Amino acid sequence: MKRSAPPLGFHGLTIGCPDPVRAARAWNSLLRLPVLRRSAAEVVLGGGPELFIRFRRRSGAPRVEEAHLAVEKIRAFRRPTTDDSLGGRSFARTLPGPDLVVREFERAPRGTWKKPRRR
């Protein structure tokens, strides 16, 4: 039986919805997470790359598009990985339901991860 590193936990969600600003406002009224990034196409709430909820503009009913899972040792998954702007190495897989992004944090996020907020 193959063993892989146990996950540390989910650290992010991406939700596709017709009105990201409205959705973020509703979630923020419950969770009180700060706005990390805002553009015409998306709003990101959270405390940083360790915990975020991204609302992305998409037509149709709102749905969870991606689940982001933090792991201690990504090597255990034996998948090709890429450096990402959140400060780690990750790989993504398309699955039934939301896509899964698996990430091992290695360093501080790049400055491009947190863009200036647009008013």
Side-chain angles (χ1 to χ4, degrees), residues 54-65:
R54 176 173 49 190
F55 300 92
R56 196 183 316 184
R57 186 172 309 281
R58 296 284 189 256
S59 60
R63 70 178 191 91
V64 176
E65 295 181 342

Side-chain angles (χ1 to χ4, degrees), residues 22-107:
R22 183 173 169 214
R25 194 176 298 128
W27 280 62
N28 196 20
S29 72
L30 292 170
L31 301 175
R32 302 284 187 227
L33 294 170
V35 174
L36 294 174
R37 188 168 64 195
R38 182 185 328 217
S39 70
E42 72 176 18
V43 178
V44 181
L45 302 178
E50 305 85 11
L51 174 64
F52 68 90
I53 304 168
R54 176 173 49 190
F55 300 92
R56 196 183 316 184
R57 186 172 309 281
R58 296 284 189 256
S59 60
R63 70 178 191 91
V64 176
E65 295 181 342
E66 294 175 352
H68 293 251
L69 181 70
V71 298
E72 193 170 321
K73 297 196 184 305
I74 204 164
R75 288 187 314 268
F77 289 88
R78 298 175 190 240
R79 303 268 191 234
T81 61
T82 58
D83 284 333
D84 64 35
S85 62
L86 294 183
R89 299 198 55 73
S90 63
F91 68 87
R93 290 293 176 263
T94 300
L95 300 170
D99 293 345
L100 178 64
V101 178
V102 178
R103 177 175 291 109
E104 176 185 353
F105 289 103
E106 298 177 322
R107 63 198 170 283

